[in-house]
């Protein structure tokens, strides 16, 4: 609970309508899209401008009150679960696109703007903002930046990081700084912009961002390649890249995932094959035709049983939308869905898929796999039931093994969902103790009192992460 | 709510709520952008994900079912826009119904609310003869000069703004004898294609009797023999959605019996709200094994008027109205409950001489939602304002709806915006009937009508 005096000061700052601490409000902000994590905040605050953000942080820093910034709460690493209580900071008043600069090809926006709305706004001007996490209909730009989100177009266009040019950040001590800007070139000192991207709300509050735009690609083509053999599908991925073609999108879905996705989307996806690749290319008409032809050829050469080209944008869009619903559709099968984010160099995709299946068998678990095959980012997803304690233990062990294997193959423990609280116990696998101390030194420099999103990224102990269920 | 009540509610939540369904929600948030109350408030408390979390927290004992929990559930329109977009397939509507039922059953209502509830939900809607009497009273008020007297007196200005408008938009009431002696059997025009029963509804068969008349006419034109079982009851949706579940169950049983006896191919509805409640009878009666199967059989026969018209190729008949710009407001329950949204559009697009324009977010609730617009008037009016913005943007002269509640709400919106000279709201069947009869020559029309003994 917040001391009465602090509560009054906060209310005075933001106005009573922007301060909430009823039981229902606290409960509704106690979770995000991550299964098994829940903890109550002490209050929920919606500041109206950066000055208020600065004053709130100053106060919280003095009083050592945790601050958990929250976009739309769609993250999958328990990044917005208020593990140590404190205040949840919302950005519903930061919902304006400030400028679309057609000369410099940039957009300047507040963090609370919805990702899809931003995309649509720039597309209306013939420009293109490529990062497209599957949650884009719901997520906010501020959340994307802090998770460094990627999406279906990540293979060719990169992830959010590659589009953030400049930021306005409020630091835990209340200082407001600006990093980067509209410049294409800028080497004045450390690259703080990149430091804040993917910082998961642990270093400061982003109150404004300038993002890079690119011209809208002239055309786009989508194909679906069907396989009776998972290995063949995985091999195709490596082969396409080895042939020096970089598709916009190269997604992988295994059979169980296909089945549920079709069950939800009802667009006539084939459910009698073992795996499919969803592949897209965009760019100039002629080169797209050319690439698609080559890709189709490579697919067939690698034993695709069929290669289908989407006949219309509607059909292509249905395929994309279906792919984006994969995670939530899987949730239909069992009460609890635990999705992971293991990533390997793309040449190792086939090996990794195989390993995941073996581990699933070894621990007698149902693990479906889909993901951004083109960038080596797989989402092994375990279908289970939290009420089955014994099984959850096995899930725990299986995932630990999967991570170890991913890192051994030159990969990482998370490709896009961030470390948060969920992956914190595994960070050492990727960084080693030295890496972690280098990171904590940075954290201490910015946030000596550890008020910014405490409990995230840095774990108290290694391993054991499941069942943190901290309900009040 | 006192402590006793709260712990009783909590206990019933634990006993009655479908926990598997609650766990089914994986909190992905896909439902957030389609929830009107979330869009208006940007508050997770007023989102589907939030409401499900609250229900689960009450079961888990993490929070008490206090006034705020109730407020969150009350604020929900029950529009079920969150269902079709939920990839996990969470049956939100059922969860909401269960939770509301428990809360209302345990609620100490104020005397006036209890009075309104009892008189309307228990004492009025279930009895068609009382509905007729009540409606005729309204008719008396409208015709006797009382209306103009009341309006002049300024008494209306004392009512909340939207209720004053409501008085203006209520349709003119049919005469008592029309309501009492409505025909119950109709022959098809031309060759008989189907035998159907018509679910005539309580409000629809009194206040909107004319629209029901248009419905039977269309069915006749489409080649249906129609029966209107006399012992059918109101569908029970209002009761079911306001926590009077037992009353709703009684009515469901009466309807199942009545329509079984009618022995028909389909049961036709022309009100989205009633239709989807009928389709869900098996859920309502799930604890009553003797009835669940019979309810299932009934729901398989339910068909919205627009669906059967399309099935019988009515959209290929000559349909003609000159110079209107038509737009369509989905009835939430028709769309999200009965998954019917292409058929009304196909029918409207088939009308020659006019122009169909889709409005932005046509599938977003208009804010009517049963008696929501009376009980939650602030939120309802905000949602209506949004709706009117997009309705106006189409340049429409005619807004088409498929549910009496939506129809009144859209009329209210038009009145509120001062657009009544430029825009009207109609039920789809009234428009289709006009379109069909306009397309025929006078001779053809009299001919057809004589043939089938349709009273013109
Ligand atoms: C169904 C589904 C599909 C998904 N698909 C993808 C995908 O394809 N690719 C992908 O990368 N991710 C994906 N995600 C994960 C998630 O959607 C992304 O991480 C997204 O960027 C989170 O955005 P949000 O607005 O919900 O942020 P939140 O979840 O609310 O917050 C994310 C992080 O950002 C911080 N934060 C938010 N705003 C600010 C701010 N203004 N200042 C400082 N810190 C802030 C929070 O503290 C938190 O650490 C998916 C999630 C779901 C549920
Ligand atoms: S879309 Fe479905 S699963 Fe996702 S949060 Fe909403 S109700 Fe839950
Ligand atoms: S029924 Fe409608 S108002 Fe209620 S939670 Fe679902 S979308 Fe929101």
């Amino acid at each position: 609970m917040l001391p009465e005096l602090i509560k009054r000061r906060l209310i005075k700052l933001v106005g009573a309508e922007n301060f909430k601490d009823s039981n229902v409000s606290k409960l509704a902000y106690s979770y995000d899209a991550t299964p098994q994590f829940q903890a109550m905040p002490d209050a929920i605050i919606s500041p109206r401008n950066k000055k208020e953000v600065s004053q709130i942080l100053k106060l919280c820093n003095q009083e050592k009150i945790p601050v958990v910034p929250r976009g739309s709460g769609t993250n999958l690493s328990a990044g917005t679960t208020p593990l140590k209580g404190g205040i949840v900071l919302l950005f519903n008043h930061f919902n304006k696109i400030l400028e679309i600069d057609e000369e410099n090809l940039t957009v300047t926006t507040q963090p609370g703007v919805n990702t899809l709305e931003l995309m649509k706004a720039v597309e209306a001007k013939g420009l293109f903002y490529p990062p497209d996490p599957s949650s884009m209909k719901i997520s906010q730009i501020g959340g994307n930046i802090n998770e460094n989100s990627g999406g279906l177009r990540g293979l060719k266009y990169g992830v959010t990081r590659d589009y953030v040019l400049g930021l306005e950040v409020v630091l835990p001590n209340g200082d407001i700084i600006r990093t980067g800007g509209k410049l294409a070139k800028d080497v004045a000192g450390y690259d703080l912009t990149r430091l804040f991207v993917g910082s998961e709300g642990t270093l400061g509050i982003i109150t404004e961002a300038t993002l890079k735009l690119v011209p809208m690609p002239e055309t786009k083509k989508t194909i679906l390649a069907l396989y009776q053999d998972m290995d063949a599908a995985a091999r195709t991925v490596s082969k396409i890249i080895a042939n020096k073609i970089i598709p916009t999108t190269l997604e992988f879905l295994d059979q169980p995932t296909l089945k549920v996705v079709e069950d939800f989307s009802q667009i006539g996806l084939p459910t009698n094959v073992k795996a499919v690749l969803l592949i897209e290319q965009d760019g100039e008409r002629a080169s797209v035709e050319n690439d698609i032809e080559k890709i189709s050829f490579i697919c067939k050469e690698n034993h695709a049983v069929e290669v289908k080209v989407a006949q219309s944008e509607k059909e292509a869009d249905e395929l994309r939308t279906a792919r984006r619903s994969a995670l939530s559709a899987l949730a239909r099968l069992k009460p609890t869905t635990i999705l992971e984010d293991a990533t390997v160099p793309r040449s190792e995709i086939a090996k990794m898929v195989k390993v995941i299946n073996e581990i699933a068998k070894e621990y007698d678990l149902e693990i479906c796999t889909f993901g951004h095959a083109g960038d080596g980012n797989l989402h092994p997803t375990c279908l289970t039931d939290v009420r089955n304690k014994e099984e959850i233990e096995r899930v725990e062990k299986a995932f630990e093994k999967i991570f170890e294997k991913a890192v051994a193959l030159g990969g990482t423990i998370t490709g896009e969902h961030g470390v948060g609280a969920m992956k914190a116990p595994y960070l050492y696998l990727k960084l080693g103790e030295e890496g972690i101390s280098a990171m904590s030194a940075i954290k201490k420099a910015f946030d000596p009192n550890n008020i910014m999103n405490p409990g995230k990224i840095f774990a108290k102990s290694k391993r054991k992460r499941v069942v943190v269920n901290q309900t009040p | 709510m006192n402590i006793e009540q709260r712990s009783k509610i909590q206990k019933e939540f634990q006993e009655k709520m479908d926990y598997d369904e609650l766990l089914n929600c994986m909190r992905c948030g896909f439902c957030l952008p389609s929830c009107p109350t979330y869009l208006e408030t940007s508050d997770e408390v007023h989102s589907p994900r939030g409401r499900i979390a609250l229900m689960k927290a009450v079961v888990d004992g993490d929070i008490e079912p206090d006034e705020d929990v109730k407020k969150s559930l009350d604020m929900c329109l029950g529009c079920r826009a969150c269902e079709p977009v939920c990839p996990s397939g969470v049956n939100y509507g059922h969860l909401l119904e269960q939770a509301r039922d428990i809360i209302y059953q345990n609620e100490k209502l104020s005397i006036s609310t209890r009075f309104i509830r009892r008189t309307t939900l228990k004492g009025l809607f279930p009895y068609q003869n009382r509905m007729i009497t009540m409606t005729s009273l309204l008719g008396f008020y409208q015709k006797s000069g009382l209306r103009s007297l009341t309006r002049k007196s300024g008494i209306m200005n004392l009512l909340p703004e939207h209720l004053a408008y409501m008085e203006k938009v209520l349709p003119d009431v049919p005469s008592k004898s029309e309501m009492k002696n409505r025909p119950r059997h109709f022959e098809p025009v031309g060759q008989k294609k189907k035998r159907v029963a018509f679910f005539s509804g309580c409000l629809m068969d009194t206040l909107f009797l004319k629209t029901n008349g248009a419905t039977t006419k269309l069915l006749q034109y489409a080649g249906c023999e129609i029966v209107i079982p006399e012992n059918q009851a109101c569908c029970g949706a209002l009761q079911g959605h306001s926590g009077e579940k037992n009353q709703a169950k009684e009515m469901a049983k009466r309807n199942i019996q009545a329509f079984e006896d009618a022995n028909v191919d389909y049961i036709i509805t022309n009100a989205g709200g009633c239709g989807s409640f009928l389709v869900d009878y098996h859920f309502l009666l799930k604890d009553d094994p003797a009835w669940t199967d019979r309810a299932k059989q009934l729901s398989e026969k339910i068909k919205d008027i627009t669906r059967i018209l399309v099935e019988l190729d009515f959209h290929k008949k000559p349909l003609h109205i000159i110079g209107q710009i038509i737009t369509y407001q989905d009835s939430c329950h028709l769309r999200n409950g009965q998954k019917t949204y292409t058929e009304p559009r196909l029918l409207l697009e088939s009308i020659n001489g006019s122009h169909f324009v889709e409005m932005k977010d046509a599938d977003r609730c208009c804010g009517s939602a049963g008696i929501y617009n009376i009980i939650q008037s602030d939120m309802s009016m905000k949602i209506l304002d949004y709706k009117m913005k997009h309705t106006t943007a189409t340049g429409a002269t005619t807004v088409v709806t498929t549910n009496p509640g939506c129809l009144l709400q859209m009329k209210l919106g038009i009145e509120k915006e001062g657009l009544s000279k430029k825009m009207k709201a109609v039920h789809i069947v009234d428009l289709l009937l006009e379109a069909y009869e306009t397309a025929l020559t006078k001779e053809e029309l009299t001919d057809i009508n004589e043939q089938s003994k349709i009273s013109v």
Side-chain angles (χ1 to χ4, degrees):
Chain A
M1 265 230 317
L2 293 178
E4 196 51 39
L5 190 72
I6 306 276
K7 180 174 161 177
R8 254 184 284 149
R9 281 174 70 185
L10 285 167
I11 291 178
K12 199 161 164 232
L13 260 176
V14 296
E17 68 283 10
N18 292 310
F19 178 99
K20 294 192 177 111
D21 65 350
S22 66
N23 284 335
V24 288
S25 291
K26 288 196 265 188
L27 191 107
Y29 290 95
S30 65
Y31 58 83
D32 51 38
T34 325
Q36 294 178 302
F37 286 85
Q38 194 159 13
M40 296 276 240
D42 295 316
I44 297 91
I45 301 184
S46 307
R48 291 167 291 195
N49 51 53
K50 66 178 171 201
K51 207 170 133 227
E52 287 180 4
V53 174
S54 160
Q55 286 164 324
I56 292 169
L57 287 198
K58 220 178 241 164
L59 178 63
C60 289
N61 198 26
Q62 265 163 21
E63 304 294 330
K64 305 208 171 39
I65 297 166
V67 178
V68 184
R70 178 182 170 111
S72 300
T74 68
N75 76 88
L76 295 160
S77 54
T80 48
T81 317
L83 294 173
K84 309 261 149 74
I87 61 174
V88 167
L89 208 66
L90 301 180
F91 299 94
N92 41 334
H93 295 302
F94 289 78
N95 58 359
K96 277 167 220 71
I97 296 175
L98 302 171
E99 181 201 41
I100 298 175
D101 182 341
E102 293 179 74
E103 280 174 23
N104 287 307
L105 295 188
T106 61
V107 54
T108 301
T109 179
Q110 293 185 325
V113 171
N114 170 269
T115 312
L116 186 63
E117 295 293 321
L118 181 107
M119 271 184 207
K120 281 192 194 150
V122 301
E123 278 172 25
K125 298 200 185 276
L127 293 166
F128 188 45
Y129 177 69
D132 61 340
S134 298
S135 52
M136 64 192 179
K137 242 183 157 168
I138 316 143
S139 70
Q140 298 180 359
I141 287 295
N144 292 169
I145 294 174
N146 276 278
E147 294 290 3
N148 189 9
S149 303
L152 297 194
R153 303 193 282 236
L155 177 54
K156 178 169 179 175
Y157 290 99
V159 294
T160 305
R161 175 202 293 131
D162 303 307
Y163 294 86
V164 183
L165 294 174
L167 294 171
E168 179 186 81
V169 187
V170 182
L171 299 179
N173 64 6
D175 286 355
I176 301 175
I177 62 165
R178 284 187 163 270
T179 74
K182 286 184 186 173
L183 299 164
K185 285 179 154 187
D186 184 0
V187 291
Y190 295 150
D191 191 346
L192 291 183
T193 312
R194 287 215 160 195
L195 179 61
F196 281 104
V197 177
S199 65
E200 304 186 28
T202 61
L203 296 179
I205 304 288
I206 290 173
T207 46
E208 200 182 294
T210 300
L211 307 170
K212 180 168 95 173
L213 302 174
V214 294
M216 193 70 176
E218 184 188 309
T219 183
K220 178 155 69 181
K221 257 202 149 127
T222 309
I223 59 177
L224 198 65
L226 320 182
Y227 294 85
Q228 281 307 355
D229 172 10
M230 289 234 292
D231 249 14
R235 252 191 336 263
T236 307
V237 174
S238 314
K239 281 278 157 25
I240 292 173
I241 315 256
N243 270 279
K244 303 189 179 53
I245 305 169
I246 306 286
T248 315
T249 299
L250 216 180
E251 295 288 308
F252 169 86
L253 293 112
D254 70 1
Q255 188 173 34
T257 314
L258 268 177
K259 279 194 174 140
V260 283
V261 169
E262 171 58 16
D263 190 33
F264 168 60
S265 60
Q266 303 272 330
I267 58 168
L269 286 171
T271 49
N272 56 348
V273 292
K274 290 280 176 331
V276 303
L277 293 177
L278 170 71
I279 308 170
E280 286 195 309
Q281 183 59 302
D282 67 5
E284 278 175 34
R285 200 168 299 275
S287 77
V288 169
E289 298 281 347
N290 196 6
D291 280 357
I292 288 288
E293 204 170 294
K294 273 199 213 150
I295 294 170
S296 307
F297 181 77
I298 298 171
C299 292
K300 285 188 193 133
E301 212 178 38
N302 285 281
H303 308 293
V305 286
E306 203 186 329
V307 178
K308 292 181 178 177
V309 181
Q311 292 309 313
S312 62
E313 175 48 29
K314 185 170 165 275
E315 204 180 315
D317 197 51
E318 277 176 356
L319 289 174
R320 259 173 260 137
T321 309
R323 158 60 188 90
R324 287 196 180 107
S325 68
L327 163 59
S328 329
L330 277 169
R332 282 174 177 232
L333 297 184
K334 284 274 186 78
T336 313
T337 314
I338 302 182
L339 165 116
E340 274 304 345
D341 190 21
T343 304
V344 291
R346 48 200 168 207
S347 55
E348 306 292 338
I349 279 278
K351 227 179 265 167
M352 194 63 211
V353 171
K354 213 188 215 154
V355 168
I356 293 171
N357 286 327
E358 283 163 11
I359 294 177
K361 229 186 238 149
E362 186 185 336
Y363 288 91
D364 189 23
L365 295 168
E366 195 176 343
I367 300 185
C368 303
T369 301
F370 64 95
H372 317 290
D375 30 50
N377 184 359
L378 290 172
H379 294 316
T381 302
C382 187
L383 309 179
T384 174
D385 187 335
V386 268
R387 290 166 292 190
N388 185 344
K389 293 271 175 329
E390 183 272 326
E391 185 171 277
I392 292 286
E393 293 258 317
R394 278 185 280 131
V395 176
E396 173 78 6
K397 288 192 187 122
F399 274 129
E400 187 170 336
K401 249 197 167 160
I402 289 176
F403 292 141
E404 274 166 9
K405 193 69 199 179
V407 173
L409 288 172
T412 181
I413 56 167
T414 169
E416 58 180 16
H417 294 165
V419 179
M422 187 174 185
K423 225 83 59 105
Y426 295 108
L427 192 60
Y428 77 98
L429 278 177
K430 170 74 180 132
L431 293 179
E433 301 302 337
E434 300 79 1
I436 292 186
S437 15
M439 277 199 194
S440 9
I442 296 175
K443 164 83 174 164
K444 280 208 189 84
F446 279 95
D447 183 19
N449 292 325
N450 192 23
I451 60 158
M452 289 301 309
N453 210 357
K456 311 299 156 63
I457 302 184
F458 305 99
K460 267 217 199 85
S461 61
K462 292 179 204 166
R463 295 167 208 235
K464 261 295 166 256
R465 70 197 160 110
V466 178
V467 205
V468 185
N469 224 338
Q470 292 200 348
T471 32
Chain B
M1 271 183 238
N2 57 33
I3 300 176
E4 230 170 86
Q5 264 172 310
R6 284 197 299 246
S7 62
K8 192 151 167 273
I9 292 177
Q10 183 135 24
K11 201 160 146 274
E12 285 187 30
F13 259 69
Q14 284 158 352
E15 284 160 9
K16 294 188 190 158
M17 292 297 295
D18 186 342
Y19 200 66
D20 279 339
E21 193 73 69
L22 287 171
L23 274 183
N24 247 344
C25 168
M26 45 97 59
R27 308 162 171 176
C28 66
F30 265 54
C31 50
L32 299 186
S34 59
C35 172
T37 57
Y38 177 73
L39 291 170
E40 282 299 333
T41 58
S42 354
D43 188 347
E44 187 84 23
V45 170
H46 298 299
S47 77
R49 180 169 71 168
R51 292 183 177 115
I52 293 170
L54 290 178
M55 294 184 227
K56 180 166 175 291
V58 171
V59 178
D60 291 341
D62 290 343
I63 54 168
E64 291 203 316
D66 59 9
E67 273 308 320
D68 289 332
V69 173
K70 181 172 175 292
K71 222 193 254 162
S72 159
L73 296 179
D74 279 349
M75 189 77 93
C76 172
L77 295 149
C79 68
R80 292 164 68 185
C82 45
E83 283 182 31
V85 293
C86 171
S88 314
V90 176
N91 219 324
Y92 175 84
H94 290 170
L95 287 172
L96 177 73
E97 222 167 276
Q98 286 173 335
R100 277 191 176 164
D101 192 45
I102 297 170
I103 292 179
Y104 290 144
Q105 289 299 334
N106 285 291
E107 198 183 12
K108 276 215 176 71
L109 295 172
S110 70
I111 296 181
S112 62
T113 319
R114 207 169 344 155
F115 176 74
I116 296 179
R117 278 254 181 93
R118 183 150 341 120
T119 42
T120 53
L121 299 180
K122 286 196 174 162
L124 177 62
F125 283 99
Y127 304 102
Q128 199 61 6
N129 53 350
R130 294 188 197 166
M131 282 293 284
I132 290 175
T133 311
M134 189 67 193
T135 316
S136 345
L137 275 178
L138 179 69
F140 175 73
Y141 160 83
Q142 288 175 341
K143 289 190 196 102
S144 63
L146 252 182
R147 177 190 251 174
S148 58
L149 200 69
T150 332
R151 281 186 184 167
K152 269 187 216 133
S153 75
I155 237 174
M156 285 298 164
N157 301 339
L158 298 176
L159 289 176
E161 195 193 9
H162 71 285
L163 281 185
Y165 285 126
M166 191 59 99
E167 187 274 341
K168 276 195 199 155
V169 301
L170 283 176
D172 283 335
V173 168
S175 78
K176 197 164 178 169
S177 70
E178 271 177 289
M179 288 187 275
K180 277 212 135 114
N181 307 322
R182 64 118 56 256
R184 302 210 163 258
H185 184 259
F186 303 82
E187 291 294 335
V189 170
Q191 195 203 347
K192 173 170 137 185
K193 293 182 185 152
K194 296 278 175 215
R195 177 179 152 88
V196 304
F198 178 45
F199 178 83
S200 52
C202 51
L203 200 62
M204 286 303 294
D205 223 32
T206 48
L207 209 51
F208 292 98
L209 188 66
K210 196 175 138 275
T211 301
N212 268 3
T215 311
T216 44
K217 265 191 179 186
L218 283 177
L219 285 169
Q220 285 179 287
Y221 288 141
C224 295
E225 179 195 356
I226 308 146
V227 289
I228 307 182
E230 191 150 10
N231 34 10
Q232 63 174 292
C234 137
C235 66
L238 280 181
Q239 290 81 357
H241 293 153
S242 343
E244 301 284 351
K245 217 167 203 162
N246 286 334
Q247 181 79 40
K249 282 183 190 166
E250 282 319 304
M251 285 147 77
K253 289 179 187 169
R254 226 169 90 194
N255 279 324
I256 293 172
Q257 190 68 57
F259 285 99
E260 273 173 0
D261 295 345
N263 186 26
V264 289
D265 300 320
Y266 300 128
I267 301 161
I268 306 301
T269 58
N270 66 354
C274 308
S276 54
F277 199 73
L278 291 165
V279 165
D280 250 6
Y281 269 180
H282 59 93
F283 174 74
L284 182 70
L285 296 168
K286 72 176 173 1
D287 301 323
D288 217 333
W291 287 91
T292 9
D293 265 359
R294 292 172 71 182
K296 265 228 155 68
Q297 279 162 20
L298 173 108
S299 60
E300 274 155 24
K301 287 191 175 174
I302 302 289
K303 199 169 261 222
D304 186 70
I305 175 77
T306 57
R307 276 193 118 124
I308 188 165
L309 288 179
V310 170
E311 187 179 316
L312 298 176
D313 282 342
F314 195 81
H315 57 292
K316 293 183 185 153
K317 288 191 192 285
L319 297 171
H320 202 99
I321 290 180
I322 300 172
Q324 293 191 19
I325 298 173
I326 300 171
T327 193
Y328 177 66
Q329 161 61 22
D330 280 291
S331 141
C332 296
H333 283 122
L334 188 60
R335 186 175 179 115
N336 305 323
Q338 296 179 76
K339 312 272 175 290
T340 301
Y341 47 93
T342 48
E343 291 84 352
R345 290 178 167 80
L346 179 61
L347 287 161
L348 293 174
E349 279 164 2
S350 311
I351 299 176
N352 290 315
S354 284
H355 189 54
F356 178 79
V357 186
E358 185 78 33
M359 74 167 91
K360 180 165 179 264
D361 293 336
D363 58 349
R364 173 120 35 119
C365 184
C366 61
S368 158
I371 44 177
Y372 187 94
N373 60 357
I374 299 172
I375 299 172
Q376 297 284 344
S377 51
D378 275 357
M379 181 56 74
S380 169
M381 289 306 116
K382 274 190 200 150
I383 292 171
L384 179 59
D385 289 346
Y386 181 87
K387 180 88 323 177
M388 287 315 295
K389 193 171 110 199
H390 293 298
T391 311
T392 330
T394 60
T397 54
T398 309
V399 193
V400 179
T401 67
T402 44
N403 188 56
C406 313
L407 179 60
L408 285 180
Q409 180 86 342
M410 292 312 293
K411 285 185 178 211
L412 200 148
I414 292 169
E415 195 68 40
K416 208 165 154 246
E417 303 282 314
L419 291 170
S420 54
K421 293 223 166 60
K422 287 190 239 159
M423 197 190 276
K424 65 174 190 224
V426 296
H427 191 289
I428 193 164
V429 295
D430 289 316
L431 192 73
L432 287 174
L433 184 67
E434 185 188 341
Y436 183 63
E437 293 187 340
T438 315
L440 299 177
T441 61
K442 259 225 157 61
E443 294 73 40
E444 280 172 325
L445 190 59
T446 7
D447 203 36
I448 278 185
N449 285 342
E450 252 162 35
Q451 237 188 77
S452 59
K453 300 181 218 57
I454 290 180
S455 50
V456 206

